[in-house]
Amino acid sequence: MDYLNTAGEVVFFVIAVLLSVGLIELYLYLHFKLFNKKYYFLIPLLSLVLFFALTKFLNIYSFKVMTYAVIWELFFSYLCIYQVKGKNYIPYMLVSPAFIGLALLLLYPFIFEVYLSFTDLKLTTIMKWKETGSLPFVGFKQYINVFRLPPLSETTFWQLLGRTLLWTFSNVFFHVLGGFILALMLIEITKFRGVYRTFLVIPWAMPQVVAVLSLRGEFHSEYGFVNIIIKKLIALFPFLEKVGLSPLNWLSDHPLLTCTLINIWLGIPFMMVIILGGLQSISKSYYDAASIDGATYIQKLKYITLPLIKPVLLPAVTLGTIWTFNNINVIYLVTGQAGGTERADILVSALYKAAFVYNRYSYSAAFAMIIFLILFLITTIYSKTLKAEQ
């Protein structure tokens, strides 16, 4: 009967969302529509009474919460009476539910994380926070600790940063290179192109957990496909063993390399699809004109394909860089982050360990803010580079 309970919870959640949206729309409509009525003051007053009843029902009432509610009502009433004045209020009503939902899901956790980074929340202070609702303010101490103290037991922040940059560059480089080569091959195929593209996109399209764990098994030291192939090659070409080729303990001795190879395999199909779409948008007349002038394939690639594909490729590279920089899934699934090896950790996996293995919550919040600033810097540099290219 568990599925009935689950279905009931889903139905309750849907009803709660619809009811919340309806109350928001009614609240906005009354404020916007009745702004010039003599009895308008009853609308904010009634809203505060209902809010008071709701906070009491949810057991979250406090003087501070009601103070914020009164300030909001005064501010919003001022906007309705002196700014909006009943004009063009429909867009506000349409956008508000989505905006409030995103604020609750994204904005509030972000603000709380910023607050947490300036406090000292850990196992020894969490009970005090639960009882009093306040945490000791430590200023920039947590930010200094990120650079001064190792996030893990051995690996420092700077080692993790260097490893993360290497991980990101190597993955994105081979994503673009492999995707570009496959896209160039597919664009020349006239028959069954969709079939080939479907097979090539399977690693990216399937659930990442399934894809990563499937390929992880292929790197097993004894029964993995990779080592079996290496043994077969050595049996056929004995000189390969003399030059250093031999089966490896991939997961224990080379965990970061293993994660990189798996992530490259997962990321190439995405780049292939993006680049293939860009190649298909290039007019064949350019290539026909170049052929008439006697241009070689390499010259066409250099002077036609690459310049025209750049507007498509730059956003894809930027997205790929951000995704790879933040990609904890592959490392988590391959190495096991609940106390697993630190030799494959990058910034985000170290952040996960610091928060949920070592329980350093405020330290992790400051760590997360620093990672956010690094990504923000990368995005800013990309935006300026794109404007310069345009």
Side-chain angles (χ1 to χ4, degrees), residues 315-352:
V317 170
T318 304
L319 286 174
T321 300
I322 295 174
W323 289 342
T324 305
F325 195 95
N326 284 323
N327 190 352
I328 188 178
N329 298 341
V330 173
I331 295 174
Y332 179 92
L333 293 170
V334 173
T335 65
Q337 289 301 303
T341 177
E342 294 183 13
R343 296 171 61 189
D345 277 309
I346 59 175
L347 286 174
V348 290
S349 62
L351 169 62
Y352 173 86

Side-chain angles (χ1 to χ4, degrees), residues 291-307:
S291 299
I292 293 173
D293 292 336
T296 63
Y297 181 81
I298 300 298
Q299 290 173 326
K300 293 177 185 178
L301 186 66
K302 181 179 179 181
Y303 296 106
I304 298 176
T305 305
L306 290 178

Side-chain angles (χ1 to χ4, degrees), residues 232-359:
K232 295 291 185 181
L233 289 174
I234 292 175
L236 291 174
F237 308 101
F239 73 91
L240 292 176
E241 189 172 13
K242 297 180 181 180
V243 299
L245 183 65
S246 62
L248 301 173
N249 295 321
W250 293 93
L251 299 175
S252 58
D253 296 341
H254 307 279
L256 185 62
L257 176 60
T258 306
C259 293
T260 302
L261 293 174
I262 293 175
N263 196 58
I264 289 172
W265 178 69
L266 291 173
I268 285 178
F270 171 76
M271 284 295 177
M272 179 200 70
V273 172
I274 297 297
I275 296 172
L276 181 61
L279 292 177
Q280 290 175 332
S281 66
I282 300 175
S283 175
K284 291 184 179 180
S285 60
Y286 295 116
Y287 297 104
D288 294 337
S291 299
I292 293 173
D293 292 336
T296 63
Y297 181 81
I298 300 298
Q299 290 173 326
K300 293 177 185 178
L301 186 66
K302 181 179 179 181
Y303 296 106
I304 298 176
T305 305
L306 290 178
L308 294 179
I309 204 68
K310 190 179 293 185
V312 175
L313 196 57
L314 285 177
V317 170
T318 304
L319 286 174
T321 300
I322 295 174
W323 289 342
T324 305
F325 195 95
N326 284 323
N327 190 352
I328 188 178
N329 298 341
V330 173
I331 295 174
Y332 179 92
L333 293 170
V334 173
T335 65
Q337 289 301 303
T341 177
E342 294 183 13
R343 296 171 61 189
D345 277 309
I346 59 175
L347 286 174
V348 290
S349 62
L351 169 62
Y352 173 86
K353 275 187 178 180
F356 300 109
V357 177
Y358 297 102
N359 302 307

Side-chain angles (χ1 to χ4, degrees), residues 175-200:
H175 288 168
V176 175
L177 180 63
F180 197 73
I181 292 173
L182 289 176
L184 289 175
M185 295 172 64
L186 283 175
I187 201 68
E188 300 295 332
I189 297 175
T190 56
K191 294 183 179 181
F192 305 111
R193 180 189 298 172
V195 176
Y196 293 122
R197 182 173 55 195
T198 300
F199 280 113
L200 289 172

Side-chain angles (χ1 to χ4, degrees), residues 200-218:
L200 289 172
V201 87
I202 285 177
W204 177 71
M206 74 168 60
Q208 197 171 69
V209 175
V210 177
V212 173
L213 293 181
S214 297
L215 199 58
R216 181 183 186 274
E218 305 304 333

